[in-house]
């Protein structure tokens, strides 16, 4: 008999991050936490990603307090978070002592499973987070960012996975953040991983952005995937995951039957439908609803399409949208085919926009692009031509070491900085918040810590 397929439920993190800009409040989660805990999920993704920033910036919530409340109300289901490797939940590399403190604090405050990824699939940028998450007692799920390019093949993903397994990961995740993974490729990739890694659990995380994800999950199940990521229907589809209820129905009666009770979803769907409306009204947001097959052509996340259009409209360049879209794959190729996920999606997108605006490619180059070429974000998947490298960083030699090896310990400095600003009763969690988002943290502390 085939092993039962299991679900990681994303409604409390990636579901609302994808559909409504990460604006769900804890108070909108709390009434149904007990119901969610009774379902029988493999894990409940509820923290990390953009939730940390959003709590502070938009919701006036302490993300650590949110986590503690979640843990107090979810007794049986492992709580999962998303961590950007050496970037943690910020937008730069942090020193190893900050990474260690963060992983330890996350587990202490309630996280059971930590999904760790790096935008470039450079295992060196995940090594410290894997080490310290395991040391803290978490289940570590190492994720490979899926993308399409001439240098991204089943063999290249397998090579990354083998390194992550050597580092001690407890499970692997194929993280298809843009919804680019097609059914045939999913079958091939999962089959290869299962053949190589045997009983090591494989999780597939995809998005419905181009409309393929449900079929992709079906083929992945045939290949032996262990876990799929889904979201309860009000926060599913479009740029989110396939709907949990739909997946239960799709696999019902098959050898991959999820074994979950659909009747339990009736109050959950009703609750989250109301929450969705509340968020849209409070923040004047339009929920993501479109399926965008063009993402496979442009190889970019669906949210990036709308963000780019909005930015161009604000600059009076709305008519140049398709010029920018056509430029993005060219820039991506020039820069060594980085997967497009935070922060590389912003780096490539900005460069493409500037090339179109200036009419002369790489006439003006942001520092982030220069640092990408310098190797400060990690090893690029593909090669950069000598011509492009010289255009961007002249005769500088890119670094070849792990980027974080160049960062001195920072944790004590963040603590001293906060103390010098008059915050003497701060917790270690407060220090970590300040490390992630200094300006946002100070605004939050001014409102809540004085």
């Amino acid at each position: 008999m085939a092993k039962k397929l299991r679900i990681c439920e994303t409604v409390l993190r990636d579901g609302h991050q994808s559909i409504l800009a990460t604006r769900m409040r804890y108070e909108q989660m709390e009434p149904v936490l007990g119901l969610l805990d009774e379902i029988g999920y493999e894990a409940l993704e509820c923290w990390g990603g953009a939730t940390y920033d959003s709590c502070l910036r938009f919701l006036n919530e302490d993300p650590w307090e949110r986590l503690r409340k979640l843990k107090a109300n979810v007794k049986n289901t492992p709580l999962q978070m998303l961590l950007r490797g050496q970037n943690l939940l910020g937008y730069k590399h942090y020193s190893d002592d900050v990474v260690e403190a963060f992983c330890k604090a996350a587990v202490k405050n309630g996280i059971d499973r930590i999904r760790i990824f790096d935008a470039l699939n450079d295992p060196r940028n995940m090594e410290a987070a894997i080490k310290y998450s395991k040391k803290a007692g978490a289940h570590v799920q190492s994720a490979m960012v899926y993308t399409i390019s001439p240098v991204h093949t089943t063999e290249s993903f397998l090579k990354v996975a083998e390194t992550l397994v050597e580092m001690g990961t407890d499970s692997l995740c194929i993280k298809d953040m843009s919804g680019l993974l097609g059914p045939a490729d999913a079958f091939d990739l999962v089959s290869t991983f299962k053949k190589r890694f045997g009983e090591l659990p494989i999780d597939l995380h995809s998005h419905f952005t181009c409309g393929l994800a449900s079929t992709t999950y079906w083929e992945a199940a045939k290949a032996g995937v262990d876990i799929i990521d889904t979201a309860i229907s009000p926060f599913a589809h479009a740029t989110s995951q396939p709907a949990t209820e739909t997946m239960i129905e799709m696999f019902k009666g098959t050898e991959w039957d999820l074994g979950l009770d659909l009747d339990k979803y009736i109050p959950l769907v009703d609750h989250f439908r109301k929450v969705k409306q509340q968020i849209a009204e409070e923040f004047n947001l339009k929920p993501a609803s479109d399926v965008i097959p063009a993402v496979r052509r442009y190889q970019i996340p669906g949210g990036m399409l709308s963000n780019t259009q909005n930015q161009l409209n604000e600059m009076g360049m709305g008519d140049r949208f398709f010029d920018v879209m056509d430029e993005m794959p060219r820039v991506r190729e020039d820069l060594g085919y980085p997967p497009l996920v935070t922060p590389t999606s912003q780096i490539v997108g900005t460069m493409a926009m500037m090339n179109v605006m200036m009419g002369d490619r790489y006439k003006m180059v942001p520092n982030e692009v220069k640092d990408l070429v310098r190797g400060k974000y990690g090893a690029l998947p593909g090669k950069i031509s000598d011509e492009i490298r010289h255009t961007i960083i002249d005769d500088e030699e890119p670094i070849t070491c792990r980027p974080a090896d160049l960062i001195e310990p920072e944790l004590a400095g963040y603590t001293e900085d906060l103390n010098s600003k008059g915050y003497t009763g701060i917790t270690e969690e407060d220090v970590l918040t300040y490390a992630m988002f200094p300006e946002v943290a100070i605004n939050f502390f001014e409102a809540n810590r004085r």
Side-chain angles (χ1 to χ4, degrees):
M1 182 177 177
K3 186 165 55 178
K4 188 176 78 171
L5 189 62
R6 308 186 298 278
I7 281 182
C8 172
E9 173 61 60
T10 70
V11 70
L12 300 184
R13 206 284 298 176
D14 205 12
H16 68 99
Q17 179 172 320
S18 298
I19 299 297
L20 278 171
T22 332
R23 296 297 199 273
M24 193 184 297
R25 300 179 182 278
Y26 172 76
E27 65 191 38
Q28 294 168 318
M29 304 175 184
E30 188 174 58
V32 293
L33 291 178
L35 294 175
L36 288 168
D37 198 22
E38 293 173 0
I39 293 288
Y41 290 126
E42 173 75 4
L44 188 59
E45 189 193 46
C46 61
W47 209 64
T51 63
Y52 197 101
D53 187 358
S54 184
C55 276
L56 298 161
R57 194 182 300 269
F58 302 113
L59 306 178
N60 195 37
E61 283 189 39
D62 184 335
W64 297 100
E65 181 62 23
R66 172 185 286 201
L67 176 55
R68 289 189 287 269
K69 290 177 179 177
L70 286 165
K71 190 62 176 178
N73 286 280
V74 180
K75 307 290 188 182
N76 304 306
T77 309
L79 298 184
Q80 181 170 304
M81 72 166 294
L82 181 67
L83 191 74
R84 291 194 287 268
Q86 204 76 25
N87 283 15
L88 298 175
L89 300 178
Y91 303 107
K92 66 169 189 172
H93 285 323
Y94 294 92
S95 60
D96 285 347
D97 65 328
V98 175
V99 174
E100 180 175 16
F102 191 94
C103 295
K104 181 179 179 181
V107 174
K108 181 183 74 174
N109 282 275
I111 287 296
D112 301 293
R113 298 164 65 98
I114 302 181
R115 178 179 290 171
I116 301 168
F117 78 98
D118 174 65
L120 297 178
N121 285 329
D122 186 343
R124 301 174 305 168
N125 290 336
M126 302 166 67
E127 185 175 7
I130 291 172
K131 174 183 175 181
Y132 295 126
S133 295
K134 287 183 71 71
K135 182 180 178 181
H139 172 108
V140 170
Q141 184 178 91
S142 299
M144 287 143 294
V145 175
Y146 181 80
T147 190
I148 298 171
S149 85
V151 300
H152 289 92
T153 63
T154 297
E155 291 71 27
S156 71
F157 287 120
L158 179 61
K159 184 177 179 180
V160 173
E162 287 174 338
T163 303
L164 297 172
V165 170
E166 289 172 3
M167 289 179 176
T169 192
D170 298 301
S171 61
L172 290 169
C173 175
I174 301 165
K175 180 176 168 59
D176 177 27
M177 68 286 170
S178 302
L180 299 174
L181 181 60
D185 290 331
F187 184 89
D188 180 54
L189 197 54
V190 173
S191 296
T192 299
F193 281 15
K194 294 307 291 185
K195 181 178 180 181
R196 175 65 180 84
F197 302 117
E199 293 301 308
L200 188 75
I202 307 295
D203 189 322
L204 177 55
H205 171 96
S206 189
H207 288 246
F208 205 79
T209 314
C210 74
L212 288 175
S214 295
T215 311
T216 295
Y217 280 1
W218 179 266
E219 289 298 308
K222 287 168 60 178
V225 80
D226 300 278
I227 307 160
I228 54 174
D229 288 13
T230 67
I232 293 173
S233 54
F235 286 93
H237 296 147
T239 51
S240 181
Q241 284 73 54
T244 306
E245 308 97 289
T246 304
M247 293 299 96
I248 294 171
E249 290 280 21
M250 186 173 82
F251 288 111
K252 185 181 291 185
T254 72
E255 59 187 294
W256 311 290
D257 195 316
L258 290 157
L260 301 181
D261 184 356
L262 274 170
D263 288 343
K264 291 184 177 180
Y265 285 87
I266 295 172
L268 289 168
V269 171
D270 182 62
H271 173 79
F272 284 116
R273 187 178 291 122
K274 293 174 182 175
V275 168
K276 184 178 183 179
Q277 183 176 353
Q278 290 167 3
I279 296 171
E281 291 175 355
E282 178 182 358
F283 294 99
N284 194 28
L285 295 170
K286 180 183 177 183
S289 59
D290 293 339
V291 171
I292 313 170
V295 297
R296 281 179 63 87
R297 174 185 174 189
Y298 297 122
Q299 305 159 12
I300 64 176
M304 199 172 167
L305 287 171
S306 57
N307 288 341
T308 301
Q309 182 71 75
N310 290 336
Q311 290 174 29
L312 289 170
N313 289 342
E314 290 171 1
M315 293 186 291
M317 294 179 58
D319 60 332
R320 305 299 303 276
F321 174 74
F322 288 105
D323 293 333
V324 174
M325 287 297 102
D326 289 335
E327 177 66 4
M328 281 193 189
R330 290 194 288 266
V331 170
R332 185 170 175 246
E333 179 180 1
D334 289 345
L335 299 181
Y337 292 109
L340 297 183
V341 63
T342 301
T344 50
S345 54
Q346 291 87 343
I347 293 171
V348 170
T350 299
M351 190 69 258
M353 205 176 299
M354 291 182 71
N355 283 350
V356 170
M357 287 171 57
M358 301 300 296
D360 187 358
R361 302 184 80 232
Y362 303 110
K363 183 176 182 179
M364 289 182 62
V365 180
N367 285 331
E368 291 81 2
V369 175
K370 293 179 180 179
D371 282 346
L372 187 68
V373 176
R374 288 171 177 138
K376 291 188 176 182
Y377 286 90
L380 291 161
K383 293 183 178 179
I384 298 177
S385 71
D386 291 340
E387 179 185 359
I388 292 292
R389 179 179 289 108
H390 186 269
T391 298
I392 293 175
I393 61 170
D394 201 23
D395 293 326
E396 288 185 53
E397 281 294 320
I399 66 170
T400 57
C401 65
R402 184 182 75 117
D405 288 342
L406 303 177
I407 305 174
E408 295 294 327
E410 299 173 309
L411 190 62
Y414 287 124
T415 305
E416 292 169 6
D417 199 15
L418 275 178
N419 287 336
S420 71
K421 295 178 186 296
Y423 297 98
T424 55
I426 54 172
T427 65
E428 183 176 53
E429 288 82 1
D430 290 334
V431 174
L432 292 167
T433 293
Y434 179 68
M436 297 301 104
F437 306 105
E439 292 183 12
V440 176
I442 290 299
N443 291 336
F444 180 81
F445 295 156
E446 284 293 317
N448 297 279
R449 293 285 189 272
R450 291 294 191 186

